[in-house]
Amino acid sequence: MARLFRAQETLGVPDRQKSTSTQISSVDLPSPFGDLAVAISDDELREAAYEILSSACRTSGRSPNSSEPPMSSPSSSFSSPPSFQRSLTSTAASKVKKAFGIKSSSSSSKKKSPSMESPLKVIGLMKRKKVTVGELVRVQMGVSEQSDSRIRRGLVRVAASQLGRRIDSMVLPLELLQKSKASDFQDPQEYDAWKIRNLKVLEAGLLAHPLVPLQESDAAAQRLRQIIRAASERPLETGKNSESMQLLRNSVMSLACRSSDGYATDTCHWADGFPLNLHLYQMLLGVCFDNGENGSIIGEIEEVLALIKKTWAVLGIDQKLHNLVLLWIMFRRFVTTGQMDMDLLFAADNQIGEVLKDARSTKNPEYSKVLSSVFSLIMRWSEKRLIAYHDSFNPNNIESMECIVSLGVSAAQILAEDISNECHQRMREEVDIARTRTDTYIRSSLRAAFGQLMGKADSSRHTSSNQSTTAHLLVVLAKDIGDLANKEREFYSPILKKWHPLSAGVAAATLHSCYGSELKQFISGLTELTVDSVQVLRAADKLEKDLVYIAVEDSIDSEDGGKALIPEMTPFEAESTIAGLVKTWIKTRVDRLKEWNDKNFQQEAWNPKANNEIIAPSGVDILRIVDETLDAFFQLPILMHPAELPYLLIGLDRSLQYYISKVKSDCGTRNTSIPALPALTRCGASSRLWKKKEKPQIVRKKGSQVRAAIGQGSSGLPQLCVRMNTLYHIRTELENLEKKIKTCLRNVESAQADITNGFGNKFELSLAASQEGIQQLCESTAYKVIFHDLSHVLWDGLYIGETASSRINPLLKELDPKLEIISTTVHNKIRNQVITALMKASFDGFLLVLLAGGPSRSFTTQDSQILEDDFRALKDLYLADGDGLPEELVEKAASQVRNILPLFRTETESLVDRFKHMIIEAYGSKAESRFPLPPTSWHWSPTEANTILRVLCYRRDDAASKFLKKTYGFPKKL
């Protein structure tokens, strides 16, 4: 504090630049109070705060009508009780300092530096003058004597015109604007700047951050904005009879006298809105700290605080907000003045206790918001140091660590605490939060320290690919970690144990985990056990024993005896190492198998003549590789085959599943082969669409559409048959592999004859994928044959033009060789499955021609017999005089077509009536006047409206055509 006085030639002429330098360092923490949204500087805020303090001290003292002496001295600006006018030399040990846990300066064993000399002594050297608390506040806030005198004159004028009024019943900037004169200032520029500053304060307090929220349409607010905007272009006239001043007064008072219930009040609210009030109050509380480099608390803090509290009525501050802002300033001072004054740190830590009590007793949302912001910043700063406390603290400054841990933990507790909980629940949460945060500090800091140890060896390890070099580094690292663990137990764990009873154990477990990761990385590069690897394992084993000892010792007095901690320390056992090597071996083999899959599958031609089994060579090869991998696994010199076998089988199973997925991946599905349905149309008995001379043109058009729809890039029928055979071969061989595995297990574990009892099926993915793949290939093959290979005789030929002249015989004729290929190529175990799929596809194709064959087709009721005869011929193809598919299977598959064919012999009127009934039943009475168009469901059925509609669309008679034209307006031509 003394340095602040020495920085001025005299008390009355402060250097403006130097006064700003007395504030905290430019390397600052962000403000927790939020942005003011008004371009007002800290100096301007400080001046406004000083004016409020001056006014508050004056109105709280004797009445202006009393016979107080003229305010000629700086101290008289504060007409406060005599205790606040006393000389600084008379201050005793501050009770406030004691409350903060700060030692009295008189009892301190530290020798005072010149900068710590008393203000009276320094001032006496400059000017023989008695210094009061008010004078101390003025100098601390960087207010010159000239400014102080001007403020006093303004307040005297205000007091003369506002007899008996409290400070909270007036708007101080407004009163000062009207009562101050240009002659009070050194030059017009200073006067204009002062007016602008007061308008900024009004803007912040009444427009940006009013205590009572503003309505967007508030006329007074709009006028005030206009006045402030105009003042930025032309200086505001502040004379008593000035029209602009009257407008300003009316607007300001209208805004300041509002209340939350809508009624006017005697109390003026202009500086008590958040966060303006907190920014102003922060400026005042800054007086409590020495403006020197160490930023310590002044000895006169008790008197100064009593003075500052007089502003509470204006600023809307209560004890809770005071405690919170004071805590923030103490913490901020400690941080921004080099973190050297431990008294500030202790005071902030003690102040948190008061804030915690306040937080539990209030539910004010504004207070909670500020509380959260303050403690978020405190926690962020504290944790930045605690997550790497090995770098932040050493034996020279270890005493500060306890306070900083307390700050971080307390901040976390306050931020997480649910005030509505019962006391005992709340206390339990505090314990959990403290332990959790401390646990995070320990683990993160030790990981950072471990990383530094690793950094020493990084260059050597990365420049050398020699396994022996890496092994040596791991041995050295194990020793360094042991030393670090002992240092942790000696210096840091005793402090952290206050918040975490297992602090040393957590540290040991963390180091164990860090080294374990490096050890695992080393082992992952091993292909066999070597002398170097054994040396690493021995060093790791010794380190593990030391760390486990620390953890166990630290857990003796804990509730669970360390049961929750010890399991974290995954053992560095030789068996685990060998298991890791085995897993590496397995992974390498499985990865090679996948690489083989990707490389060789693209070369597969699916040639049916490649071998006698008519299966793909790639399918034979992948099964051979799997078989050889199993043989090599059971030859490994280990005793843990049963334990590691599932890991191998999972990899092999996935590799086979991957191959199976590629076998079926580019063969399409049932839906990719079915062409898109043409739009619905109508036809009449006299239509010329079905004359034979038009058939070639229509066939070419329709054929091009179908081929465009399904594509031309799929494999041929023989190749598809090879794919199905391959999947069936894999499924069969997997069963043989499982038998082989069981036999090998019995051989390597002869003492455990029942080891295979729980083996079960270990190729679930591959077996399921092969079964599913066979079914998919059967369907995709069948629909590709019907809708692609035979499209020219089915989609482009069947019933085109006249029904009687384009019957099903061409389709049957070309189906026969397809069946021959399937019979001679597909394995006999899945042959019927393929032919069944082909049968279902041909039945679906037959129905698609009848119900969605496009405008080239139409049928009369007389054609129904032809359709039934043709379908019977199609069924007979698959029955093959008893040598084909079972009759019950064929009849079951034909049931859908069999149910729909009678619709083609049903009279048109009957179909129309049935259709109308279905529509009304589906859509209700609203459909009687206008029939909705039923959606296409693809599930053809005589009880489904869309199916009936399609039969009518392809009915060649005038009655059907008229109904469709009248009901839906379908065209005759597309």
Side-chain angles (χ1 to χ4, degrees):
M1 182 182 70
R3 276 195 298 273
L4 184 142
F5 287 93
R6 289 207 307 270
Q8 305 176 61
E9 291 295 329
T10 67
L11 287 173
V13 188
D15 185 290
R16 205 53 202 160
Q17 293 181 347
K18 290 183 179 181
S19 70
T20 57
S21 68
T22 61
Q23 305 307 312
I24 40 186
S25 170
S26 59
V27 182
D28 204 354
L29 291 168
S31 173
F33 307 136
D35 186 12
L36 285 177
V38 176
I40 185 167
S41 67
D42 284 351
D43 283 341
E44 291 173 323
L45 278 175
R46 194 172 299 108
E47 291 173 9
Y50 184 76
E51 290 173 350
I52 294 172
L53 180 61
S54 298
S55 177
C57 290
R58 178 180 183 82
T59 57
S60 64
R62 286 175 290 177
S63 169
N65 294 326
S66 64
S67 57
E68 64 179 350
M71 301 174 66
S72 58
S73 66
S75 62
S76 64
S77 64
F78 302 98
S79 300
S80 52
S83 61
F84 304 120
Q85 297 289 338
R86 68 187 179 189
S87 170
L88 297 180
T89 58
S90 64
T91 57
S94 172
K95 295 179 181 178
V96 179
K97 272 198 169 187
K98 291 181 179 179
F100 291 146
I102 302 174
K103 296 178 180 179
S104 173
S105 59
S106 60
S107 61
S108 174
S109 60
K110 297 180 181 179
K111 183 178 180 181
K112 290 186 178 180
S113 66
S115 63
M116 297 296 290
E117 293 176 358
S118 70
L120 184 60
K121 181 178 179 181
V122 177
I123 296 172
L125 296 176
M126 298 183 292
K127 181 186 290 187
R128 296 297 179 181
K129 189 174 186 179
K130 186 177 180 181
V131 180
T132 65
V133 177
E135 183 70 2
L136 169 65
V137 171
R138 179 189 69 75
V139 177
Q140 284 283 81
M141 295 190 73
V143 177
S144 67
E145 288 187 349
Q146 291 86 349
S147 297
D148 181 55
S149 297
R150 171 178 49 76
I151 293 170
R152 287 188 289 107
R153 286 194 297 271
L155 291 176
V156 168
R157 294 168 190 154
V158 171
S161 63
Q162 304 285 346
L163 293 178
R165 293 191 63 181
R166 306 185 317 274
I167 185 174
D168 59 352
S169 64
M170 66 180 74
V171 180
L172 184 60
L174 179 66
E175 302 301 335
L176 289 176
L177 279 170
Q178 189 163 9
K179 300 301 184 294
S180 296
K181 304 176 182 178
S183 59
D184 294 334
F185 296 84
Q186 293 181 356
D187 53 62
Q189 290 77 16
E190 183 184 3
Y191 181 41
D192 290 341
W194 177 83
K195 288 191 289 185
I196 291 296
R197 189 260 292 169
N198 278 283
L199 290 175
K200 287 180 182 179
V201 173
L202 291 175
E203 180 183 4
L206 296 176
L207 298 179
H209 308 287
L211 180 66
V212 180
L214 283 171
Q215 299 293 330
E216 292 184 4
S217 59
D218 193 296
Q222 294 176 0
R223 287 197 302 271
L224 181 57
R225 289 191 182 94
Q226 292 172 357
I227 293 170
I228 294 173
R229 191 180 306 114
S232 65
E233 301 173 357
R234 181 179 179 181
L236 179 70
E237 294 183 9
T238 59
K240 181 178 180 181
N241 299 321
S242 166
E243 180 182 356
S244 60
M245 193 64 204
Q246 291 303 318
L247 288 174
L248 177 63
R249 174 172 289 278
N250 292 338
S251 300
V252 167
M253 295 308 294
S254 176
L255 293 172
C257 294
R258 294 178 307 119
S259 63
S260 57
D261 56 10
Y263 294 99
T265 175
D266 291 337
T267 301
C268 293
H269 302 286
W270 64 274
D272 49 356
F274 288 86
L276 174 62
N277 57 346
L278 300 183
H279 282 276
L280 290 169
Y281 198 61
Q282 180 179 234
M283 295 299 170
L284 294 174
L285 287 184
V287 176
C288 300
F289 301 90
D290 189 337
N291 285 325
E293 294 178 359
N294 60 358
S296 60
I297 299 175
I298 62 175
E300 297 73 25
I301 184 173
E302 185 176 0
E303 294 91 336
V304 170
L305 285 179
L307 211 61
I308 291 173
K309 288 182 180 181
K310 296 178 183 295
T311 66
W312 283 11
V314 178
L315 298 178
I317 302 296
D318 57 13
Q319 188 65 47
K320 296 181 177 64
L321 283 172
H322 166 81
N323 290 340
L324 184 57
V325 178
L326 184 58
L327 163 65
W328 169 249
I329 295 181
M330 288 177 177
F331 170 75
R332 185 168 175 261
R333 285 275 172 169
F334 172 74
V335 172
T336 57
T337 54
Q339 306 170 39
M340 299 300 294
D341 191 337
M342 290 299 104
D343 280 354
L344 278 174
L345 184 60
F346 297 147
D349 189 29
N350 289 331
Q351 182 72 355
I352 282 183
E354 295 300 317
V355 175
L356 181 57
K357 295 176 186 177
D358 296 340
R360 291 171 176 170
S361 62
T362 183
K363 295 183 180 179
N364 184 293
E366 290 290 351
Y367 175 84
S368 298
K369 181 179 178 181
V370 177
L371 180 82
S372 176
S373 181
V374 167
F375 280 96
S376 294
L377 290 171
I378 291 176
M379 186 172 72
R380 192 181 310 157
W381 181 88
S382 302
E383 294 195 342
K384 185 177 181 181
R385 283 137 189 85
L386 294 172
I387 59 175
Y389 59 74
H390 288 86
D391 293 334
S392 303
F393 305 102
N394 54 60
N396 295 327
N397 66 350
I398 195 70
E399 63 175 357
S400 65
M401 180 178 177
E402 183 172 353
C403 266
I404 293 179
V405 175
S406 179
L407 283 176
V409 169
S410 297
Q413 288 174 342
I414 290 178
L415 290 173
E417 182 169 314
D418 183 355
I419 301 175
S420 64
N421 284 349
E422 296 295 332
C423 182
H424 67 278
Q425 293 174 323
R426 188 162 60 230
M427 292 303 296
R428 181 61 184 171
E429 286 182 6
E430 288 179 6
V431 173
D432 292 341
I433 293 171
R435 180 165 179 161
T436 299
R437 300 314 305 163
T438 308
D439 189 276
T440 300
Y441 305 153
I442 296 170
R443 294 181 188 276
S444 60
S445 188
L446 281 164
R447 290 191 186 105
F450 177 84
Q452 293 174 357
L453 294 177
M454 285 295 303
K456 297 177 182 178
D458 269 349
S459 57
S460 301
R461 182 174 61 173
H462 291 160
T463 56
S464 174
S465 59
N466 191 332
Q467 192 76 14
S468 157
T469 301
T470 303
H472 172 71
L473 293 175
L474 285 176
V475 172
V476 174
L477 182 62
K479 181 181 181 303
D480 291 343
I481 291 175
D483 295 339
L484 177 61
N486 290 328
K487 179 182 177 182
E488 178 76 17
R489 182 171 59 170
E490 179 181 357
F491 289 105
Y492 303 111
S493 295
I495 295 174
L496 297 170
K497 201 173 185 68
K498 177 179 178 180
W499 293 274
H500 198 309
L502 302 179
S503 55
V506 170
T510 303
L511 291 174
H512 186 280
S513 175
C514 291
Y515 186 81
S517 298
E518 292 300 318
L519 185 65
K520 184 177 181 180
Q521 182 179 351
F522 169 76
I523 292 172
S524 67
L526 296 176
T527 56
E528 57 182 355
L529 294 178
T530 63
V531 174
D532 292 330
S533 63
V534 171
Q535 186 180 16
V536 172
L537 291 173
R538 287 179 178 174
D541 183 63
K542 181 183 183 304
L543 173 63
E544 181 176 45
K545 289 178 180 178
D546 293 341
L547 295 177
V548 169
Y549 175 79
I550 292 173
V552 172
E553 183 185 45
D554 199 43
S555 306
I556 291 177
D557 298 329
S558 65
E559 294 180 0
D560 64 352
K563 292 180 180 178
L565 187 62
I566 299 301
E568 289 188 31
M569 307 173 76
T570 305
F572 302 154
E573 297 177 355
E575 185 176 352
S576 300
T577 303
I578 295 173
L581 291 172
V582 173
K583 283 182 171 61
T584 302
W585 180 91
I586 292 173
K587 184 179 183 301
T588 301
R589 293 300 182 99
V590 171
D591 288 347
R592 289 176 185 172
L593 184 55
K594 185 179 183 303
E595 292 174 4
W596 179 93
N597 260 333
D598 293 334
K599 179 180 179 181
N600 290 274
F601 187 87
Q602 297 178 357
Q603 302 174 4
E604 184 58 71
W606 309 105
N607 183 3
K609 298 181 180 180
N611 47 50
N612 295 333
E613 292 82 6
I614 316 181
I615 58 179
S618 59
V620 176
D621 289 343
I622 192 171
L623 287 170
R624 174 182 54 78
I625 294 172
V626 170
D627 186 67
E628 291 174 352
T629 302
L630 287 170
D631 286 339
F633 172 76
F634 283 107
Q635 292 173 6
L636 291 174
I638 58 175
L639 299 176
M640 54 185 69
H641 294 97
E644 300 302 325
L645 178 62
Y647 184 75
L648 172 62
L649 293 182
I650 289 173
L652 296 178
D653 191 23
R654 288 176 179 171
S655 296
L656 287 169
Q657 181 194 28
Y658 177 68
Y659 175 82
I660 293 168
S661 68
K662 293 176 75 68
V663 170
K664 63 180 182 178
S665 62
D666 59 348
C667 297
T669 62
R670 171 185 181 276
N671 293 333
T672 57
S673 298
I674 298 177
L677 298 184
L680 292 174
T681 185
R682 63 187 176 85
C683 55
S686 59
S687 176
R688 298 173 57 85
L689 288 175
W690 299 276
K691 291 188 176 181
K692 290 184 179 179
K693 66 179 181 179
E694 297 181 11
K695 179 177 177 181
Q697 180 182 1
I698 296 171
V699 168
R700 286 193 298 272
K701 180 180 179 182
K702 180 57 64 180
S704 64
Q705 289 176 345
V706 172
R707 282 188 286 274
I710 63 178
Q712 300 290 334
S714 300
S715 301
L717 179 58
Q719 287 75 24
L720 291 171
C721 293
V722 173
R723 291 176 186 253
M724 287 184 276
N725 286 344
T726 303
L727 294 185
Y728 178 76
H729 178 68
I730 290 176
R731 190 180 72 181
T732 304
E733 287 302 309
L734 287 177
E735 297 173 358
N736 296 331
L737 284 175
E738 290 182 2
K739 295 176 182 178
K740 175 179 180 177
I741 291 170
K742 290 181 179 181
T743 301
C744 292
L745 283 174
R746 291 191 183 98
N747 292 336
V748 299
E749 296 286 349
S750 57
Q752 302 180 25
D754 61 342
I755 194 170
T756 60
N757 291 345
F759 178 73
N761 186 355
K762 296 304 179 184
F763 289 99
E764 293 97 338
L765 297 177
S766 302
L767 286 170
S770 59
Q771 185 67 33
E772 179 186 346
I774 292 171
Q775 180 62 31
Q776 178 184 327
L777 285 175
C778 287
E779 288 187 356
S780 62
T781 299
Y783 281 84
K784 179 180 180 297
V785 168
I786 295 300
F787 290 99
H788 181 266
D789 297 351
L790 302 183
S791 176
H792 60 287
V793 290
L794 175 67
W795 194 254
D796 297 339
L798 184 60
Y799 305 139
I800 293 291
E802 296 293 337
T803 304
S805 62
S806 53
R807 298 184 63 176
I808 204 168
N809 288 335
L811 174 64
L812 300 179
K813 183 177 180 181
E814 296 205 24
L815 259 177
D816 192 63
K818 302 293 183 182
L819 290 170
E820 180 65 24
I821 292 174
I822 292 172
S823 298
T824 57
T825 307
V826 175
H827 194 283
N828 59 357
K829 293 292 185 179
I830 57 172
R831 188 176 300 147
N832 278 5
Q833 187 176 350
V834 182
I835 295 175
T836 299
L838 185 64
M839 173 184 67
K840 292 179 179 180
S842 62
F843 290 175
D844 285 350
F846 184 77
L847 268 183
L848 202 62
V849 166
L850 300 183
L851 300 176
S856 302
R857 295 178 170 88
S858 68
F859 308 99
T860 65
T861 53
Q862 291 76 19
D863 292 334
S864 62
Q865 188 59 48
I866 294 175
L867 303 181
E868 292 176 4
D869 292 343
D870 283 357
F871 183 63
R872 188 179 301 109
L874 182 60
K875 289 195 301 181
D876 290 342
L877 176 69
Y878 295 103
L879 291 170
D881 296 328
D883 294 330
L885 296 175
E887 183 176 359
E888 62 273 13
L889 180 61
V890 176
E891 290 300 328
K892 182 179 179 181
S895 60
Q896 185 183 30
V897 183
R898 190 169 60 248
N899 293 334
I900 291 175
L901 282 177
L903 297 176
F904 288 86
R905 73 165 71 97
T906 304
E907 294 299 329
T908 300
E909 292 76 8
S910 177
L911 288 176
V912 170
D913 291 341
R914 188 185 304 183
F915 176 76
K916 291 179 178 179
H917 176 74
M918 289 179 180
I919 292 296
I920 293 174
E921 189 178 58
Y923 295 95
S925 58
K926 63 180 181 180
E928 294 180 357
S929 58
R930 182 177 181 84
F931 292 104
L933 185 66
T936 301
S937 64
W938 283 91
H939 299 294
W940 315 125
S941 169
T943 60
E944 195 256 343
N946 182 257
T947 303
I948 303 297
L949 178 63
R950 288 179 175 276
V951 174
L952 287 171
C953 286
Y954 292 97
R955 175 61 56 87
R956 191 194 314 171
D957 65 22
D958 289 336
S961 182
K962 289 178 181 178
F963 170 74
L964 295 172
K965 180 179 180 182
K966 178 181 178 181
T967 306
Y968 298 113
F970 288 161
K972 282 190 175 182
K973 293 184 179 181
L974 295 178

